[in-house]
Amino acid sequence: LEAVDMPLDHSIFYHEGAWCHSRSPFPSTKATNKSPIDTLGPFQMKMANLTLHFPSIFDKHGQYSVNFDSDLRILDQADVLNHGSHGPLSPVTLDDESKISASIPTNATHFLWCYPLVGVTQIATSMRHLLDAHLLSGDSRFSFLMVGGFAYFIKIGPEYHFLKANELTQTEAGGLTFDGPFKWKAGYTERLYRNGRFKPVTISSLIS
């Protein structure tokens, strides 16, 4: 934020073809600061030591689940369910060198995005302070389950076997950087909707 001279109390939003920022969460045209954010990343992948289960991996409304072992039981105490939704399975297209740089198993053939667990957005304020402490401590398991992350698989015959879960954190250099921004087309919306890619917002700070 400092690198692009953006105050910490500003909201980020998309306006007239550019990513912009303003102090107001509902900026008017006059209040808009039109300094565009033209890059997204770089992001670093960090392993989340979790064993995830995918009973319906090809279902576009599929769910994954996790066991609340050890200190993850605090999520159960906060009325967070042990399952969440995931995006569609896609092939990994990176070469081995790029996989190593991104902390992706070199034998990974497919991946998908896991959304936060059901109930994360409804956590009571008293419990959220405790869970935020786990996030601030850098615990990648809580980050994965409360913010989301990538799951990687290897295809052996007709079956897909879970390999690893990675959370996504911002880094100063290296890692993953997304291309763009690109001009949006109406056809993108239709195709994404048809494939079940639109999901409810699950990160409370984006809602509140």
Side-chain angles (χ1 to χ4, degrees):
L1 295 178
E2 291 176 354
V4 294
D5 196 27
M6 185 189 305
L8 296 177
D9 61 347
H10 276 209
S11 299
I12 301 172
F13 58 95
Y14 197 74
H15 181 73
E16 296 182 350
W19 285 104
C20 312
H21 61 91
S22 170
R23 178 171 285 104
S24 168
F26 303 102
S28 65
T29 303
K30 292 182 179 179
T32 299
N33 183 328
K34 293 187 177 181
S35 173
I37 300 172
D38 53 11
T39 59
L40 186 61
F43 295 100
Q44 177 185 11
M45 303 284 236
K46 183 180 176 184
M47 177 181 176
N49 189 17
L50 296 165
T51 299
L52 306 177
H53 309 281
F54 297 84
S56 52
I57 197 170
F58 295 109
D59 186 346
K60 65 181 181 181
H61 301 297
Q63 301 270 314
Y64 72 94
S65 63
V66 61
N67 295 329
F68 284 160
D69 298 325
S70 185
D71 51 346
L72 289 178
R73 292 192 182 96
I74 192 174
L75 292 167
D76 185 43
Q77 297 169 18
D79 295 325
V80 174
L81 302 183
N82 74 329
H83 63 268
S85 60
H86 62 73
L89 191 69
S90 302
V92 176
T93 56
L94 301 176
D95 57 33
D96 285 353
E97 183 178 352
S98 299
K99 286 179 180 178
I100 293 171
S101 175
S103 191
I104 298 171
T106 54
N107 60 340
T109 58
H110 291 75
F111 75 100
L112 52 76
W113 175 262
C114 293
Y115 294 89
L117 297 176
V118 175
V120 166
T121 55
Q122 291 80 34
I123 295 173
T125 303
S126 57
M127 292 298 298
R128 179 161 293 282
H129 292 312
L130 295 175
L131 293 171
D132 283 346
H134 284 282
L135 287 175
L136 292 173
S137 72
D139 192 319
S140 57
R141 298 168 305 153
F142 282 87
S143 176
F144 184 97
L145 298 174
M146 295 179 65
V147 180
F150 290 106
Y152 295 92
F153 304 82
I154 181 173
K155 183 181 181 184
I156 302 177
E159 298 182 347
Y160 294 81
H161 300 270
F162 172 71
L163 291 174
K164 184 182 182 183
N166 277 344
E167 67 148 331
L168 205 59
T169 59
Q170 196 159 13
T171 183
E172 293 297 326
L176 295 176
T177 301
F178 292 89
D179 287 340
F182 300 102
K183 186 174 178 59
W184 191 259
K185 297 181 180 179
Y188 300 161
T189 303
E190 180 183 352
R191 183 171 181 179
L192 290 172
Y193 181 81
R194 189 169 59 247
N195 286 280
R197 297 300 296 274
F198 285 102
K199 303 287 183 181
V201 176
T202 48
I203 300 177
S204 350
S205 58
L206 295 180
I207 298 174
S208 57

